[in-house]
Structure formats: structure tokens, C-alpha cells
Amino acid sequence: MLKLHTTKVSRVFQQCLTSECAVHPSSSNENLKPLETLPYVDYIKKKYPDKLAKMNVQVENLNSERKECKKNTKVLNFFRDLNSFILNKNSVELLPVGSMVTKFVNKQSDFDFVFFPKRDDQRHRFLRDFHQNPSFKQNFMSVFAKLIARESEKLGEPVEKVVELPRMRVPLLIIRYASGLSIDIQFPEENYHALRNTHLMRMYKVCDNRFTLLFLWLRAVCDKLEVRNSKYGLLSSYHLLLLCVHFLQSEQALSPWPVLPVLAKTHSSLVTADIPISKVAELIKSDDPCLDVFSWKSHNKMAISELIIRFVDYYSHFNASKEAIYIEKGLAQKRKQVFGDVRLQIIDPYSPVSVCRSPHASAAFFTAIQFMRKQFKNGQMIASLPDVPEAAQFLRENHFSFWRTQMSDKIIV
């Protein structure tokens, strides 16, 4: 009788134990969590591995197209000839900046230059007269535009339209040609921000190829979502580059191994604001500006598709009203209390104030980021380059957003 009772107790105990094991699986099964409970990036990686693999290929295709575009020697020869015909090469030159130097080009790229007097005394005198005398500024830009149009015609590139913007913070000439070619000529103040930041991006570019890949993806998607257009107060290519740099160099975004170094700390002699602008100009023109000094090798081995997902996730949680990005520090820090419009604060090594001054740019960027995050979660936009059909939904949803309506009103900021 006792033996039978013991057997029944044993059977009940085994049933209870089995039941408990079902409710509390062993540690070896902890990895078998439902997808919905995984962190955002792990969820995407687990649910859409094939699409992520396809994204890697699509981004590499963007890079292949970039390499083909940079081989356009006809355009480069035209600019060289134009420079020699309109300027005294011993005293003044049009220096290329932006994608012409960094080679972050695509078929839609404009060609950007800065007007640069070579001698220090001559440069100081011109900058003083140009920026302190509105009448001189207007007349100089008009005469210069006519000179470019005349000489371009002789070189077989007739000008279709000239836009003079003397009242912009950095006065600008936009020359549009009948062939579709377009050039922007800046007349900056003495710090020549465009020269310095072009040099900085060129230095970051040689550190790790994934910087190029992330930027190419971001620019392509932002163009499809129509949130990149600096002439109308939206994001510029430089904004996008700095957003990529911050994400890739900050341990706040990628821990413990960032992709990029903080060049202001590791190679300050190459990127400091103390370098004379004449030296920066020489580096801009050089085919190989001290690139051999770089020994940076990242321990981060993430594929570009994972970095893209993490980039979107990081900025979807970024609080622009409380944090400011400091490129030379490699981190985001608490900013002063903000009232009214929230503007994305990105401080590069060459200016004490944010390079992103428009509230439209900030609103457009974070709206796009939140849209992308939701799309990724549903398996959309992960492998949709180059067409990005999902952009049509974004444009419909934001048709009446203030950052879009000011564009339709043709308000150039």
C-alpha cells in the first residue's frame, strides 16, 4: 500500500516537474525567444537576412556607379580650361570643393567651387571689400557671371541660366548649362569653411570604406524622400556626411568598436583649424594628401547593411532638443535648453556654431528616420534601391508638412 502511494507521488512529481520545465525552459533554450521580444536590430537581422544580403549588394552597386562617374574626364577638362581662361592663374583660382574632391559623386552631382585669391594680402583685401561693400559684391558677381558665360560659350558649353545669390550667408553663383551641367561658385569669408570641411571628409574617407557606403546609401534614400536640398533649407550633403561620421566614430552609437577614429584626437595635425588656409588649399589640390600616415584599422566588422539598420535605430532615439553632436569630440553632449524651433546641432571642428541652422532640415531628417524605422520593421526599404518605391508613401504622408510647403513656395533659405 505504501509502495503504491509512493509510486503515485513520484508520478505526480514528474508531471509537475515536466510542467515547470515547459514554463521555465533551460538556459540552453534561452536563445529561442520569439522574434517580437528581440531588440530592434536583432529582430531585423533575424527576420530579413536575405533582404539584408541584397542590401549589401545594392549599396556596393551605388559605389560602382560612383567610381564610373568620377572618371568623367571631359567635364574635368572643361573646368580646367574655364579656370585658365577667366582667371589669372598666378593670383586667383577656382578651387574644387565637396564631391569633386571627396569623389562622393553621382549622376546628379553639382560641381562646387570656391573663389580663392592665392596671396594672403590679396585675399584679405578682396574679402574685406567683397563682404563689407554690398555694391561691390553685387557688381563683382554680375561681371564674373558674364565672363563665365562668355568663355563657356567659346568652349562649346553654352550657359542656359545664371542665378546670383549675393544675400546668402555664403554668396553663391549658380551656373546652369544647356547640357545639364551645373556649377556652384561660393564666395566665403576668411575661414573658408568649405575648403576645410572638404579636406576633413577626404581624410575620413580613407579611414574605412564603409563610411563611403553608408553615405551613398543615405544620400540616395534622402534624395528619393526629397529631404536633401540645402538651397531650400533642407539637408545638405555635408549634413549627411557629418551625421554618418558621428554615428561611425561614436561609442555612444557603436560600442565597443566604432568604425571611424576621432581624427581631431588621433590626427589633429592634419585636421586642426589652426592649419593655414593656404596649406589646406594645397592639400585639396593634391592627389595624395598625406594619406600614408593613416594606420587606422577598426575592430568593428559589421556589414554595411547592419550599420544602416543601426544608423536608423540610433537617430530614431536621438533627442535633438537635448543633445548636440561634436565631431572633434566624437560624441553627443547635452545642449542648452531649447525654446521654439528645434534645430539639429552639429558642430564641426571649424565653427563654434552648428552647421545645420534651419529648422526645416531637422524636421525633415527626423521625419524621414522615423519613417525608415517603421519600414525596416515591416521588411520594406531594406532592399529597394535604386528605385525606393516606398518613397511615394512618405511623400503622400508629408505633402502638407511645413518643411515641404516652404519648398513649394520657392523660398530659398
Side-chain angles (χ1 to χ4, degrees):
M1 190 72 176
L2 181 61
K3 184 177 180 181
L4 178 62
H5 179 72
T6 304
T7 302
K8 291 175 80 174
V9 170
S10 177
R11 191 181 302 120
V12 170
F13 177 76
Q14 288 177 352
Q15 290 174 348
C16 290
L17 184 63
T18 303
S19 177
E20 282 296 305
C21 288
V23 176
H24 300 289
S26 66
S27 59
S28 63
N29 293 325
E30 284 182 356
N31 291 330
L32 302 178
K33 294 180 179 179
L35 276 176
E36 290 71 19
T37 65
L38 293 174
Y40 178 78
V41 176
D42 293 336
Y43 174 88
I44 302 295
K45 289 171 64 179
K46 192 84 172 176
K47 188 166 185 178
Y48 307 112
D50 293 341
K51 288 188 175 184
L52 290 174
K54 189 175 180 181
M55 175 186 267
N56 288 328
V57 175
Q58 291 175 344
V59 177
E60 285 290 352
N61 289 340
L62 288 179
N63 198 27
S64 297
E65 292 174 11
R66 176 191 69 83
K67 292 176 182 178
E68 286 300 314
C69 289
K70 77 175 185 178
K71 296 177 182 177
N72 193 340
T73 55
K74 180 182 177 182
V75 171
L76 297 178
N77 289 337
F78 166 70
F79 289 139
R80 186 193 62 222
D81 293 340
L82 182 64
N83 206 347
S84 64
F85 286 172
I86 64 176
L87 297 172
N88 181 342
K89 64 180 181 180
N90 294 319
S91 59
V92 185
E93 59 188 331
L94 291 178
L95 282 179
V97 291
S99 61
M100 288 191 71
V101 178
T102 60
K103 308 302 181 187
F104 290 131
V105 292
N106 61 13
K107 294 177 181 177
Q108 292 76 42
S109 291
D110 290 336
F111 296 87
D112 300 303
F113 298 87
V114 296
F115 185 85
F116 188 76
K118 292 183 176 181
R119 296 203 319 265
D120 290 346
D121 58 338
Q122 184 188 44
R123 186 165 59 252
H124 295 322
R125 189 164 57 252
F126 172 80
L127 292 172
R128 180 197 62 208
D129 294 342
F130 186 86
H131 290 287
Q132 295 181 10
N133 188 332
S135 178
F136 173 77
K137 179 197 298 185
Q138 182 69 69
N139 290 336
F140 183 88
M141 291 179 68
S142 296
V143 171
F144 193 53
K146 290 174 183 176
L147 180 61
I148 292 175
R150 187 188 72 192
E151 297 303 323
S152 296
E153 184 85 34
K154 292 179 181 178
L155 290 169
E157 283 284 351
V159 171
E160 186 176 75
K161 185 179 182 182
V162 175
V163 180
E164 300 175 21
L165 301 171
R167 296 183 181 179
M168 290 185 70
R169 185 177 55 84
V170 177
L172 186 67
L173 269 181
I174 305 173
I175 315 293
R176 302 201 187 281
Y177 292 87
S179 64
L181 184 67
S182 177
I183 65 175
D184 292 0
I185 301 173
Q186 302 178 24
F187 298 86
E189 294 184 339
E190 198 164 2
N191 64 358
Y192 281 89
H193 201 153
L195 284 179
R196 294 188 183 277
N197 64 44
T198 295
H199 171 62
L200 178 67
M201 292 303 106
R202 193 181 187 190
M203 295 295 99
Y204 270 117
K205 181 174 179 285
V206 301
C207 293
D208 195 293
N209 187 53
R210 288 171 292 177
F211 172 44
T212 296
L213 298 179
L214 179 60
F215 169 71
L216 293 178
W217 169 82
L218 182 60
R219 182 178 63 182
V221 171
C222 285
D223 284 351
K224 289 295 183 179
L225 300 181
E226 298 183 12
V227 297
R228 184 178 76 99
N229 192 328
S230 59
K231 292 183 178 69
Y232 292 93
L234 300 184
L235 295 162
S236 70
S237 291
Y238 188 50
H239 296 151
L240 299 183
L241 285 165
L242 291 178
L243 288 166
C244 290
V245 167
H246 168 66
F247 169 75
L248 293 174
Q249 74 176 8
S250 173
E251 292 184 9
Q252 294 166 311
L254 294 172
S255 181
W257 306 118
V259 171
L260 295 178
V262 182
L263 286 181
K265 296 180 180 179
T266 61
H267 295 81
S268 58
S269 62
L270 281 178
V271 299
T272 176
D274 297 330
I275 300 176
I277 195 61
S278 56
K279 175 63 175 177
V280 177
E282 290 303 316
L283 291 170
I284 288 288
K285 292 187 288 184
S286 170
D287 291 332
D288 189 20
C290 307
L291 304 187
D292 59 321
V293 303
F294 287 112
S295 57
W296 169 258
K297 191 76 174 176
S298 174
H299 295 289
N300 184 305
K301 305 302 179 186
M302 293 178 187
I304 186 58
S305 57
E306 180 173 350
L307 289 172
I308 288 171
I309 304 301
R310 290 184 182 277
F311 175 92
V312 170
D313 188 45
Y314 174 74
Y315 281 111
S316 70
H317 294 96
F318 189 90
N319 190 335
S321 66
K322 294 183 178 180
E323 296 176 289
I325 293 170
Y326 292 87
I327 297 300
E328 65 180 342
K329 297 178 182 179
L331 47 78
Q333 288 185 323
K334 187 176 181 180
R335 62 180 290 183
K336 294 179 181 179
Q337 191 171 2
V338 180
F339 299 97
D341 291 331
V342 175
R343 306 186 183 199
L344 183 62
Q345 279 208 333
I346 312 175
I347 317 296
D348 74 4
Y350 310 118
S351 175
V353 298
S354 175
V355 300
C356 187
R357 296 177 173 85
S358 170
H360 306 306
S362 180
F365 175 69
F366 287 110
T367 302
I369 284 291
Q370 294 298 337
F371 178 79
M372 283 187 268
R373 192 177 194 277
K374 291 178 183 177
Q375 291 289 306
F376 286 170
K377 188 75 179 286
N378 295 325
Q380 304 299 313
M381 285 187 77
I382 297 176
S384 61
L385 288 171
D387 298 327
V388 194
E390 299 90 346
Q393 178 184 341
F394 179 80
L395 297 176
R396 286 196 303 272
E397 291 177 357
N398 294 280
H399 184 74
F400 296 106
S401 297
F402 74 95
W403 53 267
R404 280 190 62 80
T405 55
Q406 61 90 28
M407 284 184 67
S408 64
D409 293 336
K410 298 294 186 296
I411 301 173
I412 296 181
V413 180

